[in-house]
Amino acid sequence: MPENASSPRTPPWFARPGSRAWRCAAAPAEVREFHAALADYAPTPLTELPLLASELRVGRVFVKDESCRLGLPAFKALGASWAVHRTLAERAASGSASGPVTLVTATDGNHGRAVARTARLLGQHARVFVPQGVHPQAVAAIVAEGAKVTEVAGAYDEAVRLAAEAAAPADAVLVQDTAWPGYEEIPGWIVEGYSTLCAEIDEQLAAAGVLDGPDLVVVPVGVGSLAQAVVTHYRSRPSGRAPALLSVEPEAAACVLESLTRGEPVSVTTGETSMAGLNCGTPSGIAWPCLRDGLDAAVAVPDADSARAAARLAALAVSSGPCGAASLAGVHAALSGVGAGERRSVLGLGPSSVVVLLSTEGAAANPHTTAGH
């Protein structure tokens, strides 16, 4: 986006020196093998956008385009498919798989549709709790997958609470992409599922001549599960160049930024935002330690910046919804305006740097109008 596309104010920002030296265990290799065996699997595009590189004053910019992933308009099917696969395998191994199970979840849109699609393909049932603020078309898409949908008169965290209660019967299982004490295994499998996206980026960058990997990866954050997968991927390498990792949230729901600032996981009261899939008030319990130790920086952006970023990507032939475009809005906020030089230095960026933006959903994933609230 042009330098004058947003106000010159200092964005909500947190930076942590030293995170590129932190290391963790890698995701299991069999996740990629599982996805590759699915009938409709194909790597999503990694699109190079030289105009953005020029505008951001870096060497190369690539956008990981998740507008069509396993037949759905967002990346979430990677986590849902692997987690449901693991869940059903565990139930079969324990002898508790006597019939179809009801997969229960709460969603801001994309995850719920992915769980519902997975349930339909595998002959299972799905029940999805949807908070206020999700566009009616997104709700209709979940219903079209055959799920029973319950609309909640409250925020995302309330929908999660109700979903957990509804998953109590023996023939139901909660497939939630956020974790809390006592509920960590399935969210962990969802995070593992997202590792396929990162493995694809490695291969695609190498094919484009970027053999040492990116210098900066920018990831939108809701509860932080995708960001956990990204941190895990890039911080599990024993040697070689470690990229800077930047998370982006809506200003109306910046729970990770607030938690990083305070040094402990906290819940925030969320407001209304067009970035519906990121409208989460509490970081995932299993994501938090990875985000605390592995993120270089976090930034929050207003809806107007995300909308401009989506329009900019559309002009460059990349379909991106408000959540997916948050990556571009976030890196633009970080690299322009008051204090940009210092933020650029924190991220280690120069005129030859390679930047990867994760566009986590297409424009069709979460259509948004003010009339939808």
Side-chain angles (χ1 to χ4, degrees):
M1 294 183 296
E3 286 291 331
N4 62 358
S6 60
S7 63
R9 69 192 182 105
T10 302
W13 169 265
F14 174 89
R16 178 184 175 272
S19 67
R20 269 164 270 180
W22 182 74
R23 292 294 178 267
C24 62
E30 59 263 32
V31 178
R32 180 70 186 285
E33 298 166 5
F34 165 79
H35 285 135
L38 297 178
D40 51 355
Y41 169 78
T44 54
L46 186 72
T47 304
E48 184 167 9
L49 298 176
L51 283 175
L52 289 186
S54 176
E55 291 169 11
L56 295 171
R57 294 188 290 117
V58 296
R60 303 176 76 176
V61 171
F62 296 86
V63 175
K64 184 61 168 166
D65 179 358
E66 292 292 309
S67 60
C68 186
R69 170 65 78 175
L70 294 170
L72 293 174
F75 75 102
K76 293 285 191 175
L78 289 173
S81 59
W82 174 249
V84 172
H85 165 73
R86 289 297 310 270
T87 297
L88 296 180
E90 294 267 325
R91 289 176 68 86
S94 68
S96 59
S98 58
V101 67
T102 297
L103 306 176
V104 185
T105 195
T107 186
D108 280 320
N110 294 326
H111 172 71
R113 187 177 178 188
V115 170
R117 170 70 64 88
T118 302
R120 180 169 62 79
L121 291 175
L122 297 177
Q124 310 296 323
H125 305 303
R127 185 175 182 190
V128 180
F129 288 77
V130 179
Q132 285 183 326
V134 177
H135 194 280
Q137 289 180 33
V139 177
I142 299 170
V143 172
E145 300 291 350
K148 178 182 178 182
V149 173
T150 300
E151 297 193 57
V152 176
Y156 174 81
D157 287 5
E158 174 66 6
V160 170
R161 185 185 69 80
L162 293 173
E165 290 180 356
D171 63 348
V173 60
L174 185 67
V175 184
Q176 197 59 57
D177 55 348
T178 189
W180 53 86
Y183 182 73
E184 295 166 332
E185 186 174 52
I186 290 175
W189 290 336
I190 290 173
V191 172
E192 289 178 356
Y194 298 153
S195 66
T196 291
L197 185 157
C198 299
E200 291 175 2
I201 292 173
D202 285 347
E203 296 161 4
Q204 291 166 322
L205 284 178
V210 183
L211 302 181
D212 293 331
D215 296 287
L216 172 66
V217 179
V218 188
V219 55
V221 169
V223 297
S225 294
L226 176 60
Q228 181 187 354
V230 169
V231 169
T232 298
H233 182 77
Y234 289 106
R235 301 292 184 244
S236 60
R237 299 173 173 180
S239 61
R241 183 174 69 186
L245 303 176
L246 171 66
S247 69
V248 185
E249 295 170 281
E251 288 187 353
C255 64
V256 169
L257 176 60
E258 183 66 19
S259 297
L260 290 169
T261 301
R262 296 196 191 186
E264 61 182 2
V266 297
S267 296
V268 300
T269 300
T270 59
E272 183 177 325
T273 174
S274 60
M275 292 171 269
L278 308 181
N279 195 9
C280 306
T282 306
S284 171
I286 59 172
W288 165 246
C290 289
L291 306 186
R292 177 196 62 207
D293 295 334
L295 284 175
D296 289 79
V299 68
V301 296
D303 284 8
D305 284 8
S306 176
R308 275 190 290 266
R312 185 74 181 105
L313 289 170
L316 297 172
V318 175
S319 172
S320 187
C323 298
S327 291
L328 176 55
V331 76
H332 185 270
L335 302 186
S336 63
V338 178
E342 181 181 351
R343 293 190 295 273
R344 191 177 291 264
S345 177
V346 164
L347 297 172
L349 296 183
S352 63
S353 296
V354 175
V355 175
V356 173
L357 308 178
L358 303 189
S359 178
T360 51
E361 65 175 13
N366 270 321
H368 178 87
T369 65
T370 55
H373 290 269

